[in-house]
Amino acid sequence: MRLTTLSNGTPDGELVVVSRDAQRCLLAGGTLQQAIERWQIAERQLRGLEKLLEQGGGEPLDHGRLLAPLPRAWQWLDGSAFPQHGELMQKAFHLPPIETDRPLMYQGLSDRFLSGAQDVPLPSEADGIDFEGEFGIITDAVPMGTPAEQAIAHIKLVLLINDWSLRAIAPVEMKTGFGWVQAKPACSVAPFAVTPDELGDAWADGRVHLPLEVQVNGQWFGHPHGREMAYGFHDLIAHAARTRDLVAGTIIGSGTGSNTDYASVGSSCISERRAIEMIAGGKPETSFLHFGDRVRMEALGRNGSPFGNIDQRVVAAAI
């Protein structure tokens, strides 16, 4: 099942169920946040609308009104579950490995998520504008202490995310020991949130087994595969819920997609490509983004692009 949110003049928009060809939709009533909070009941109703769409019902989907599936959330937690990315950064910058047997995770800005099509306003090119392609999930309510083997049942929807980063600011904030604020602006999310069953065999072991295709200004940048997460999303949920409940509508990200065969599959962020260049030649060659640059992301499966795509331009913020 595919869900999205249409703009209606309110912060949370209105929830709709979308046909598999992304051409038709049916209003579901209310918002995605409301649905996820009563998922056992809401899912039955949403599945009923999905059947009507499969039978040819519904209205044309207005792609110009698409928002992020969950335009704002109570909580956004981003992991770093692809070990190759960390290893490359450590090697390039001569950093010691992080000594931990736990998943890496931080809590980021969640009061807004950009749609996959709107311009991305940022204050300065000097901040080192970068993208990070990753997958994500939305949970229902998760009780404190939920183990990983039970956490898998709390994954209700799967997402495609661009976690924007400002690389010149990040090292300064990291040195404080208090985490990121300025270095992590609002993320962008592809328009369609899908139930795990919609992915078929591309959903396994709490991971999205699809390549994440990235282009910059129409040129290929990379297509790392989602299968190489060291921790599945169920492990990330269990980690986050160790000492607290997770509210329904919590979004958890995989972190930057990265593969061991990066030489052939490329990268899903500029910082990693620069690290590879530093390792190979002693200095980075690829610049960070400039205003006017366009980034496109898509995860292609057997039946096309289940999440739709992210296709955005970076612009100067009006300050």
Side-chain angles (χ1 to χ4, degrees):
M1 177 169 59
R2 278 182 168 191
L3 304 176
T4 193
T5 294
L6 297 179
S7 62
N8 65 353
T10 68
D12 299 304
E14 54 187 344
L15 176 64
V16 297
V17 183
V18 181
S19 62
R20 284 194 171 89
D21 64 2
Q23 297 304 309
R24 291 171 293 109
C25 68
L26 281 169
L27 291 174
T31 68
L32 180 53
Q33 180 62 40
Q34 291 169 336
I36 208 76
E37 288 174 354
R38 55 182 189 91
W39 188 253
Q40 285 188 325
I41 297 172
E43 184 181 17
R44 291 196 296 271
Q45 298 170 339
L46 296 171
R47 294 286 186 184
L49 295 176
E50 181 187 31
K51 289 182 179 179
L52 291 177
L53 286 169
E54 291 173 355
Q55 295 167 3
E59 300 295 329
L61 178 63
D62 184 351
H63 288 256
R65 292 177 57 199
L66 294 176
L67 301 177
L70 196 57
R72 57 179 179 170
W74 290 110
Q75 186 163 226
W76 155 237
L77 302 171
D78 197 17
S80 183
F82 289 90
Q84 186 60 55
H85 176 70
E87 291 172 14
L88 287 169
M89 303 306 289
Q90 290 160 13
K91 186 174 182 179
F93 293 99
H94 308 289
L95 300 172
I98 298 173
E99 299 294 341
T100 181
D101 58 355
R102 300 178 179 182
L104 301 177
M105 184 175 287
Y106 76 93
Q107 185 159 330
L109 184 155
S110 65
D111 66 6
R112 72 203 63 190
F113 289 90
L114 304 178
S115 80
Q118 69 187 97
D119 287 347
V120 182
L122 294 170
S124 173
E125 292 180 346
D127 290 337
I129 302 169
D130 198 359
F131 51 84
E132 294 187 40
E134 58 186 270
F135 296 106
I137 54 98
I138 302 177
T139 73
D140 63 1
V142 182
M144 182 191 304
T146 297
E149 59 269 21
Q150 295 177 19
I152 194 81
H154 291 283
I155 298 172
K156 300 307 178 186
L157 296 166
V158 188
L159 306 169
L160 175 62
I161 299 171
N162 183 355
D163 177 29
W164 293 98
S165 295
L166 302 177
R167 300 299 189 184
I169 299 174
V172 178
E173 292 193 314
M174 289 173 70
K175 287 178 182 178
T176 69
F178 276 81
W180 289 308
V181 175
Q182 294 178 351
K184 287 293 186 178
C187 298
S188 304
V189 186
F192 306 128
V194 304
T195 49
D197 64 282
E198 185 73 13
L199 297 174
D201 59 8
W203 176 255
D205 305 318
R207 296 161 173 84
V208 179
H209 289 244
L210 291 174
L212 201 169
E213 306 272 353
V214 182
Q215 295 181 7
V216 178
N217 295 325
Q219 299 297 312
W220 176 87
F221 196 91
H223 59 269
H225 204 279
R227 62 175 169 246
E228 289 192 27
M229 288 173 68
Y231 297 96
F233 280 110
H234 53 306
D235 299 307
L236 298 181
I237 292 171
H239 173 73
R242 180 176 177 270
T243 61
R244 55 176 165 171
D245 298 333
L246 303 183
V247 297
T250 293
I251 302 177
I252 298 179
S254 66
T256 308
S258 182
N259 291 171
T260 53
D261 56 341
Y262 57 84
S264 59
V265 304
S267 301
S268 65
C269 73
I270 295 173
S271 185
E272 180 173 297
R273 177 181 277 191
R274 286 167 62 91
I276 294 167
E277 293 167 345
M278 290 171 67
I279 294 166
K283 64 178 182 179
E285 301 290 343
T286 302
S287 66
F288 291 113
L289 297 177
H290 301 284
F291 295 142
D293 285 344
R294 182 171 290 277
V295 178
R296 179 182 173 89
M297 296 181 181
E298 192 171 31
L300 294 172
R302 292 179 181 175
N303 299 314
S305 180
F307 308 102
N309 62 65
I310 295 171
D311 192 350
Q312 296 177 289
R313 189 171 55 113
V314 179
V315 298
I319 299 177

